[in-house]
Amino acid sequence: MKLHLLKLFLNEFKKRKKKTSLITFAIAWGTLSLLLMMSFGRGLSNQFRIGFQGLGEDLILVNGGRTSMDYQGLPKGRAIRLFASDIDLIGRLIPEIKRICPESYNLGEIKYKDQETNRNVRGVYADFGPMRNTIAQAGGRFINPDDVTYSRRVAFLGWHLAEELFKGKNPINEEIYINRMPFKVIGVMMKKLQNSNYQGLDYDHVYIPLSTMALVDSQKYIDMMHIQPTERKYARYVENRVKEILGEKYRFDKDDKYALSVFNTIEAGEIAGKVFMGIEIFLGLIGGLTLLIAAVGVTNLMYAMVKERTREIGVKMALGAKRRHIVWQFLLEALFIFLKGTFWGALIAFNIVSLVRLAPMNYEMTSIQSYLLRPDFSTDILVTFIVIMGILVFFSGIFPALRASKMNPVDALRYE
Amino acid sequence: MIDMRNLKKVYKTGSIEFEALKGVFLKIEKGEFVSLMGPSGSGKSTLMNIIGCLDTPTGGSYYLEGRDVSGLTFDQLSEVRNQKVGFVFQSFNLLPYATAYENVELPMLYNGKKAPERRQRVDELLTMVGLYDWRKHRPTELSGGQQQRVAIARALAMDPPILLADEPTGNLDSKSGEEILDLFTSLWKAGRTILMVTHDTKIAAYSQRTVHILDGKMEADI
Ligand SMILES: Nc1ncnc2c1ncn2[C@@H]1O[C@H](COP(=O)(O)OP(=O)(O)O)[C@@H](O)[C@H]1O
Ligand SMILES: [Mg+2]
């Protein structure tokens, strides 16, 4: 294709803008809906992952249960309780564990001046912070190892609870009462997305050193053991080892499914991740089929355009146009319409996605908004899209173009 | 210039065959101005299209400037159409979205002529047909006579040795028609070979020689 012929084409294309605007619009529309669909699908699965990690990253949660199998002469139905000392034992015996943290919780009466409410009080170790993503907002801190060692009466507040008690006032260094025992507030939790929980969401609770739990609660055993393996691939291994070690200590069968209640978020997360990938693939497939239908429609429109321009093709042939000139003309036209349409469609999609992402996130509950408000316009989506589009362009353009070039000049000229 | 012997054209529409040209002999020398006359349906356009290489004969031989054009490929015929013949149609056939200038320029674009050469040639031709001031206008903004003059300028763009015109004044009022015929006369006087279809003896009178066709056969020259 020589430059002057390209200029000729561009000139014609410019002047025929109105006639091609319908196809351009159709393509822009298709691009827009497809990219939005893919971006929202991706956002959904991203948000799910983030929300899942809101409970904590790569955690295995272990709690005592009740045996369901006889073991070494002991009857089934025995309650199994875990204690803080088990933490040290397990931590020592399994090197594949990165962090391990106990937790004991109970409903308590929380009071600040004349504000009073009943919430979960959770006694934990310092590692709870990084493990459960309970990070302090600026100006505060989470419970540290010394707090635990010296049984300091310090409290860390969920952000929602803090808002409720302090009504916008800075809670740091203020004194609150938990079951009538005074505690000093050392930090408030940063907002996070959380879509799985036990005993309610983290933002509504108060956290104190496990060693001070005895002041507010008479329970001796712990309610939960948080375990984080050094690597994800050890998830199952660590879980089995924990069952073995505790089974030996408390004398239950390591294969007894009910002696301990275990929630392996790593495995659950992987399964859920696959479900969401499935949803993404499904959306992509629908999108692909939509695109295919669109391509058929565009091919038809291109045929109609060739037909409409039959006489013009005849004139051009009479003036010396070769077959390739005619083929290129229509192929380029298809290409330009697609480029224009996809450009506008992608631009609008990008802007919609950016705008939606500006919407404030609702952390109050595990709301549907949190899944819909963070669409992700990733480059891999765009690249996939452009590749598929490019192939479709070629096929919707080439056949009408070939038909045009195969016309007989006389017949084309006689066409009304 | 043109040498046709026993030229035949059979149209096939489905199973129906129709012989539009039944063995035409035609010879036109360089520098002649010839009228082709005949009643409607006698095969004038069919013959013109074959001469202009827009269509191919089904029998006989056709030499254009001493070259046998049967057996040429589509693209080779395109080159012949581009360089050897200028075609003027009854219905002008200008590209509707292109200006007068762009219409005249088109054959040169297919030939790959350089921009300065194209501009000079287009300006020269539009001046010759008296439409230089209208070069930026589109066909719809021009009268029929003006459109046909643009079409003539376009037909001459590649300076072809022969100009073919199929009822060039058929869609024009008599005054515009006269202007076109005057233009042809001056082109002929400047050395161009012209073959023009008409069924009007007054129009044929502008030419130097008239040939008659009837039912796909030539009658003796008058
Ligand atoms: N493409 C075609 N298919 C079938 N018949 C045709 C075709 N073109 C022309 N004819 C027939 O050939 C005859 C000559 O047509 P044409 O050359 O157009 O005549 P003229 O130009 O002298 O009026 C007419 O009878 C016409 O119907
Ligand atoms: Mg005719």
Side-chain angles (χ1 to χ4, degrees), chain A residues 11 15 312 317 319 322, chain B residues 78-79 81-82 97 102:
Chain A
N11 188 23
K15 289 182 176 167
E312 180 193 320
M317 287 173 165
L319 297 176
K322 294 181 178 166
Chain B
S78 279
E79 270 171 26
R81 290 192 286 266
N82 185 249
Y97 43 78
E102 289 158 354

Side-chain angles (χ1 to χ4, degrees), chain B residues 56-73:
Chain B
T56 46
T58 47
S61 66
Y62 169 32
Y63 287 82
L64 178 63
E65 282 199 309
R67 182 186 185 195
D68 186 359
V69 293
S70 59
L72 293 188
T73 65

Side-chain angles (χ1 to χ4, degrees), chain B residues 40-41 43-46 90 166-167 197:
Chain B
S40 183
K44 305 185 294 293
S45 295
T46 304
Q90 178 175 353
D166 192 348
E167 304 200 39
V197 168

Side-chain angles (χ1 to χ4, degrees), chain A residues 66-136:
Chain A
R66 194 170 283 277
T67 59
S68 64
M69 291 158 80
D70 295 335
Y71 186 72
Q72 295 179 347
L74 294 164
K76 60 183 168 190
R78 283 176 303 128
I80 302 295
R81 300 287 188 205
L82 302 180
F83 294 86
S85 57
D86 297 333
I87 298 291
D88 307 326
L89 177 71
I90 289 170
R92 214 163 356 97
L93 292 181
I94 312 176
E96 286 82 7
I97 287 178
K98 185 176 164 198
R99 295 189 182 110
I100 183 163
C101 174
E103 179 191 1
S104 172
Y105 54 81
N106 219 329
L107 208 59
E109 179 196 286
I110 324 282
K111 201 172 165 215
Y112 171 70
K113 293 191 174 156
D114 53 349
Q115 296 291 326
E116 195 179 317
T117 180
N118 285 316
R119 288 298 152 80
N120 255 343
V121 180
R122 304 167 71 167
V124 298
Y125 280 4
D127 270 348
F128 188 89
M131 288 175 85
R132 293 288 304 265
N133 278 330
T134 42
I135 297 160

Side-chain angles (χ1 to χ4, degrees), chain A residues 329-377:
Chain A
Q329 172 184 342
F330 286 99
L331 211 53
L332 275 178
E333 182 150 282
L335 182 74
F336 268 67
I337 291 170
F338 264 99
L339 281 181
K340 227 172 107 177
T342 31
F343 173 77
W344 284 111
L347 191 74
I348 295 168
F350 178 77
N351 279 302
I352 289 177
V353 165
S354 307
L355 263 177
V356 169
R357 288 179 69 95
L358 288 180
M361 185 56 90
N362 183 351
Y363 295 93
E364 299 268 339
M365 46 183 169
T366 53
S367 60
I368 187 74
Q369 288 108 294
S370 64
Y371 291 97
L372 293 181
L373 291 181
R374 289 299 177 271
D376 185 0
F377 191 88

